[in-house]
Amino acid sequence: MERLLHNYPYMVAVVLFVLGVYTILSQENLMKKIIGTNIMSSAIFLLFISAGNIAGGSPPIISKGYVPPEGVVLVNPLPAALILTGIVVSFSLTAFALSIVIKLHDYYGTIEADEILKLRSEL
Amino acid sequence: MWAWLASHPAALVVFMLMVAVSMPVLAHFRPLLCVYTACFAVGLALAGSLHLALLTLRGEVLSYAVEGWSPPWGIEVVVTPLSAFMLVVITAVSLCILVYSIASLEQEIPPGSIGWYYTSFLLLLAAMMGLAMANDLFNIYVFIEVSTIAACALVVAKNSKAAAEAALRYLLLAIVGSGFILFAICLLYLITGHLNITFTARALAGVYQQYPFLTWTALSFFLVGFSIKAALFPLHVWLPDAHSSAPAPSSAVLSALTIKIYAVVLIKLFFPLFGLQMLNETYLRHILLLMASLAIVAGSLFAFVQLDLKRRLAYSSVSGIGYIFLGIGLGSQLGLAAGILHIFNHAIMKACLFLSAGAIYRQTELRQVNRLQGIAFSMPVTMAAFSIAALSMVGIPLTSGFISKWYLSQGSIAAGQPIFIGLIVLSGILNASYFLPIIWQAFFVVDRQQPKTITLDAIPFSMLAGQVILAVAVLFFGFWPGFPLSLAQKAAAVILP
């Protein structure tokens, strides 16, 4: 139990991931679905970043010949670099999805998935 | 040149990316310039891929460390026989599709977006080639996202209501799928501290006993993610709309190549990382077999009830992907080789079928399968190509579809599960039940009112050429399956020794 509390970012990440997937699958509003994808990807970024972090660690910015003094630990820089890419990917997916939603709004005048389905079946 | 390519295989991906971004500029001067450049570039990539394939057939494994950073730290690109096989399939089939699109595309999408269409097309090719070669987990994630965006762009390019709706559904489900994949990659990185597949596999073998639950979670998240991406049966819901509402060249490339590259990545991850033993222990292999069997039967049944020709073909892709996962799930070297071989055979058949459906729509504006009576009299070449590919889907001997079914049957005997032969025969009968009526109507049901004169197809030559090359390939590789078969066997032998 203490270990769980100590690693609370992991728990938050898992809860957020589940919430995000649930939002995508359950909401009818297309904007809410897209918000769900963002919650889901943020959860994974949180998991990745918190995995690379060390409590009390200092930023991994070093120059040539630098030796960290005794007792100073540097956090893992790799997850931060990866997640930077992940954020860009998530941003472009969101932008693309929003542009399709705008198109759908032009066609149907609504962004509710169930109303679009009804309008389509009437055609 | 060739030796340089062998030591720098990633150059293929970079080359495709560079050609992709040049497309809108070329379209600014003349739209046709785009497609000719794209054909030329993909032709060059095909030559390069064939060279790499011949090298890997000789037993060489080509690896390249990006920027000279050696594997555990840097990004590594490895060309195994499986990668080389996939590179050849991607470039060869997309070359035929590009030739077809020379004349077909201007009718299907707004003229202003032709340059951007080819940008998305080549980005998709570059991402798929990258997926075939990448040996780094995070690289695989990035390429998956690039291919997702490019594939959705190819669907939405049609600029119709149905296409926009299908593309959004595809995009949302694909985001869920890649979320699961990234989660699994993150878990593997937490456990092992590596992103390179070779090193992750080595580290995972050591720490698996310590973290069994995290490993199983990663394994199942990979399965869910890739099943959504590859449209394996219960998670195929996005596929029929997306593939049937897209323009004909997009449908062909999405159905023939994009869903299969995820099966290849699944093979690349599952067998080296987790190994056959863990797949057996967690019953994941049995789940794969169950899902594949359901996909084969249910895909055919759904296809049977569709009246729209392109939707029928799209559901038939659901059953096609089932064959590939059946080959993976059998867990024997022969079965895996058959599954890999079916990737190639299904790609040429399904691309040919979608291109023919596009040609039929172009000439007659017909999409309903029950209105195609006597159509072979007005478009004999198209219907001949369609029939060859459809008979190959059924599995008639001397077509390439028969070869992959034959080896799948042998694989299921070798794996000690001959029950799957029954499944393959049943699926052949189901395929026949929804393809043969179309062929029968087209060739033999004649309207009494109309004269029975045979006229050649009234569609541009390049559209005919794309289909005919693919149909000839279906026949050719039905007679002489040597090259793809030996490459597939080599690939399976490397993965499952």
Side-chain angles (χ1 to χ4, degrees):
Chain A
M1 193 63 207
E2 200 179 329
R3 243 179 92 196
L4 276 184
L5 283 176
H6 191 65
N7 290 322
Y8 67 93
Y10 295 163
M11 300 303 123
V12 176
V14 170
V15 171
L16 278 180
F17 184 82
V18 175
L19 265 180
V21 176
Y22 178 74
T23 312
I24 298 171
L25 299 180
S26 67
Q27 293 294 325
E28 292 293 348
N29 189 310
L30 295 176
M31 282 301 292
K32 288 183 183 165
K33 276 182 195 279
I34 293 173
I35 293 170
T37 66
N38 277 293
I39 296 175
M40 190 190 76
S41 38
S42 307
I44 306 167
F45 301 157
L46 175 64
L47 182 66
F48 233 123
I49 288 287
S50 53
N53 193 30
I54 300 168
S58 67
I61 305 166
I62 57 169
S63 55
K64 208 169 185 181
Y66 169 84
V67 182
E70 199 65 32
V72 171
V73 276
L74 302 174
V75 302
N76 187 353
L78 186 68
L82 298 181
I83 289 319
L84 200 59
T85 317
I87 289 172
V88 175
V89 167
S90 152
F91 163 74
S92 42
L93 282 170
T94 309
F96 187 40
L98 286 175
S99 71
I100 302 179
V101 171
I102 292 173
K103 236 177 162 169
L104 283 174
H105 187 259
D106 286 349
Y107 288 141
Y108 295 104
T110 173
I111 53 167
E112 302 283 332
D114 49 349
E115 286 177 25
I116 290 177
L117 203 66
K118 219 160 75 185
L119 284 171
R120 267 179 64 93
S121 57
E122 282 167 9
L123 290 176
Chain B
M1 177 72 193
W2 292 123
W4 184 81
L5 180 67
S7 57
H8 298 78
L12 280 177
V13 180
V14 177
F15 174 62
M16 295 309 281
L17 285 176
M18 275 161 41
V19 180
V21 293
S22 75
M23 284 293 135
V25 183
L26 294 176
H28 182 72
F29 297 109
R30 186 168 289 179
L32 272 183
L33 206 57
C34 289
V35 60
Y36 290 133
T37 316
C39 284
F40 180 67
V42 174
L44 276 184
L46 173 61
S49 313
L50 281 173
H51 176 66
L52 293 180
L54 289 176
L55 283 183
T56 51
L57 259 185
R58 257 185 259 148
E60 290 182 44
V61 173
L62 313 161
S63 87
Y64 166 64
V66 176
E67 288 289 315
W69 288 84
S70 51
W73 297 281
I75 296 166
E76 194 191 19
V77 171
V78 175
V79 180
T80 56
L82 180 63
S83 323
F85 176 83
M86 226 26 229
L87 286 178
V88 173
V89 174
I90 290 168
T91 47
V93 174
S94 58
L95 185 59
C96 298
I97 296 169
L98 276 173
V99 169
Y100 174 94
S101 78
I102 291 174
S104 84
L105 205 58
E106 56 199 17
Q107 303 262 324
E108 295 206 63
I109 67 173
S113 54
I114 284 184
W116 295 107
Y117 181 87
Y118 284 111
T119 305
S120 320
F121 195 99
L122 293 178
L123 274 179
L124 180 62
L125 291 194
M128 287 194 291
M129 291 161 83
L131 279 175
M133 288 193 280
N135 197 33
D136 182 276
L137 289 171
F138 199 75
N139 249 26
I140 285 180
Y141 166 71
V142 173
F143 279 129
I144 284 176
E145 294 290 28
V146 174
S147 73
T148 302
I149 295 185
C152 287
L154 288 185
V155 176
V156 85
K158 177 98 174 180
N159 218 3
S160 72
K161 290 183 178 181
E165 207 192 333
L168 187 67
R169 187 179 307 158
Y170 180 15
L171 187 61
L172 287 173
L173 277 172
I175 292 175
V176 175
S178 37
F180 273 97
I181 293 169
L182 185 60
F183 204 107
I185 290 173
C186 181
L187 287 178
L188 281 182
Y189 179 68
L190 287 189
I191 304 171
T192 63
H194 283 293
L195 284 170
N196 185 297
I197 294 178
T198 322
F199 284 81
T200 312
R202 213 174 289 161
L204 193 63
V207 295
Y208 166 54
Q209 299 299 338
Q210 212 176 331
Y211 305 104
F213 289 109
L214 284 181
T215 316
W216 294 338
T217 313
L219 186 61
S220 47
F221 273 32
F222 271 135
L223 179 70
V224 174
F226 284 112
S227 305
I228 294 177
K229 294 276 187 179
L232 192 54
F233 169 62
L235 304 170
H236 70 285
V237 285
W238 57 268
L239 182 139
D241 286 332
H243 287 194
S244 63
S245 61
S250 309
S251 311
V253 73
L254 293 177
S255 229
L257 301 173
T258 308
I259 51 175
K260 291 179 190 111
I261 191 72
Y262 298 116
V264 169
V265 180
L266 188 92
I267 298 174
K268 273 175 69 166
L269 292 179
F270 270 23
F271 290 107
L273 279 180
F274 304 106
L276 202 55
Q277 200 194 348
M278 201 191 302
L279 293 184
N280 279 330
E281 274 173 16
T282 52
Y283 295 102
L284 211 87
R285 200 169 67 76
H286 305 84
I287 296 173
L288 267 181
L289 280 176
L290 182 69
M291 283 165 89
S293 318
L294 281 174
I296 292 172
V297 177
S300 303
L301 286 176
F302 279 126
F304 183 69
V305 296
Q306 300 300 323
L307 286 179
D308 184 305
L309 179 55
K310 281 183 85 173
R311 279 186 81 85
R312 188 172 275 199
L313 295 179
Y315 272 110
S316 141
S317 282
V318 174
S319 104
I321 206 81
Y323 282 109
I324 296 163
F325 277 91
L326 177 66
I328 299 171
L330 282 174
S332 67
Q333 194 182 330
L334 202 57
L336 188 61
I340 294 171
L341 181 68
H342 193 64
I343 291 177
F344 171 71
N345 287 336
H346 190 260
I348 51 179
M349 303 187 272
K350 194 40 72 69
C352 184
L353 286 171
F354 265 116
L355 295 186
S356 302
I360 292 170
Y361 184 74
R362 164 83 176 246
Q363 187 174 335
T364 62
E365 307 233 321
L366 290 177
R367 291 189 69 146
Q368 302 294 103
V369 283
N370 49 10
R371 292 180 57 199
L372 298 176
Q373 292 96 345
I375 197 164
F377 291 97
S378 58
M379 15 191 5
V381 180
T382 304
M383 282 317 294
F386 183 92
S387 310
I388 289 170
L391 290 176
S392 174
M393 293 291 297
V394 176
I396 306 288
L398 301 182
T399 57
S400 64
F402 172 74
I403 304 288
S404 45
K405 288 194 181 183
W406 175 255
Y407 280 98
L408 265 177
S409 315
Q410 284 197 343
S412 49
I413 294 174
Q417 282 156 320
I419 184 165
F420 289 110
I421 297 178
L423 188 76
I424 291 165
V425 172
L426 172 71
S427 147
I429 295 169
L430 283 170
N431 283 1
S433 69
Y434 63 84
F435 275 126
L436 291 186
I438 302 178
I439 300 174
W440 175 263
Q441 278 186 357
F443 281 94
F444 302 113
V445 179
V446 187
D447 195 353
R448 294 269 160 87
Q449 313 297 325
Q450 281 178 338
K452 273 196 289 181
T453 49
I454 298 176
T455 49
L456 270 184
D457 315 39
I459 54 172
F461 175 74
S462 63
M463 288 174 72
L464 286 180
Q467 304 166 40
V468 170
I469 297 169
L470 286 166
V472 170
V474 169
L475 287 179
F476 181 84
F477 291 111
F479 278 101
W480 295 282
F483 178 65
L485 183 62
S486 54
L487 209 50
Q489 279 170 340
K490 184 94 187 166
V494 170
I495 295 162
L496 275 181

